[in-house]
Amino acid sequence: PVGEVEGGLKLSACDGECCRLDIFHDGAFGSICDDSVTQDTAEIACRQLGFATEGASVQVGGAGYGGSGTTPGTGAIWLDELRCAGTEESIFDCPHNPWGNHNCIHAEDLGLCCPGGGEGGNGAWSWESSSSSSSSSSSSSSSTTALAGALFLAAG
C-alpha cells in the first residue's frame, strides 16, 4: 500500500533519489528506525512504491552519528528492528517490533534511495496527490514527495 492506508508508505524530505521513508499507522505517518534494516528492505520498499529495485539502497544513521544524511522526521517512530527477508510483498509484512515499540531517536530514521525516485529521478514517474481536508503548508514539493494518492506513469 501507498499513502494514507494502514501500512502505506510515503517518501519525505527527498534529496535527489534518496528520501526518508515514512509509514502510515493508527491514523498518522511516522518514521521507521534504521536498526536491523538490510538491502532487502530497500528492494521491498522501492517495489511497493512502484520504483525499480535494481540499485535500490537504504540510508542508515540519519543526520546524526555521522550517517548518510537522511533528514530526521518528527512525531511517531512506528517501526524498529525491521527484518525483511526479501520475500515479503510490502514493508508492512516484514517482521518488526510491535508498532511504536522502539529504542530509537529521529537521527536514526531510515532513508531510502530508489532508482528514479525522489526529485532526482529520471522523470518517468510522477505522483498524483489526492486532496486532503487538512491545510497544506507553503513548503515546496522539493521538501516532500507526497504519496497520498496514486502512482501513475507520466506521459513524456
Side-chain angles (χ1 to χ4, degrees):
V2 174
E4 293 183 6
V5 296
E6 189 66 20
L9 299 181
K10 175 177 86 167
L11 298 175
S12 302
C14 298
D15 179 13
E17 290 185 346
C18 300
C19 308
R20 185 180 65 251
L21 181 63
D22 293 331
I23 191 163
F24 195 79
H25 173 67
D26 199 23
F29 278 103
S31 59
I32 299 171
C33 185
D34 63 11
D35 294 351
S36 299
V37 298
T38 65
Q39 183 64 23
D40 291 327
T41 304
E43 292 174 6
I44 292 165
C46 289
R47 181 176 58 243
Q48 182 177 343
L49 290 164
F51 292 111
T53 59
E54 186 175 338
S57 63
V58 292
Q59 286 185 315
V60 297
Y65 309 117
S68 52
T70 301
T71 302
T74 58
I77 298 174
W78 284 132
L79 294 181
D80 188 17
E81 301 297 334
L82 191 61
R83 296 173 299 279
C84 300
T87 57
E88 298 86 355
E89 289 296 313
S90 73
I91 293 297
F92 187 76
D93 299 325
C94 297
H96 54 77
N97 284 359
W99 289 92
N101 182 357
H102 64 85
N103 63 350
C104 303
I105 60 174
H106 282 294
E108 298 173 82
D109 286 348
L110 177 63
L112 178 68
C113 305
C114 297
E119 297 145 13
N122 61 14
W125 295 100
S126 297
W127 302 108
E128 179 178 82
S129 298
S130 63
S131 58
S132 171
S133 60
S134 63
S135 62
S136 306
S137 68
S138 61
S139 64
S140 69
S141 63
S142 64
S143 64
T144 301
T145 301
L147 300 181
L151 177 67
F152 69 98
L153 185 60

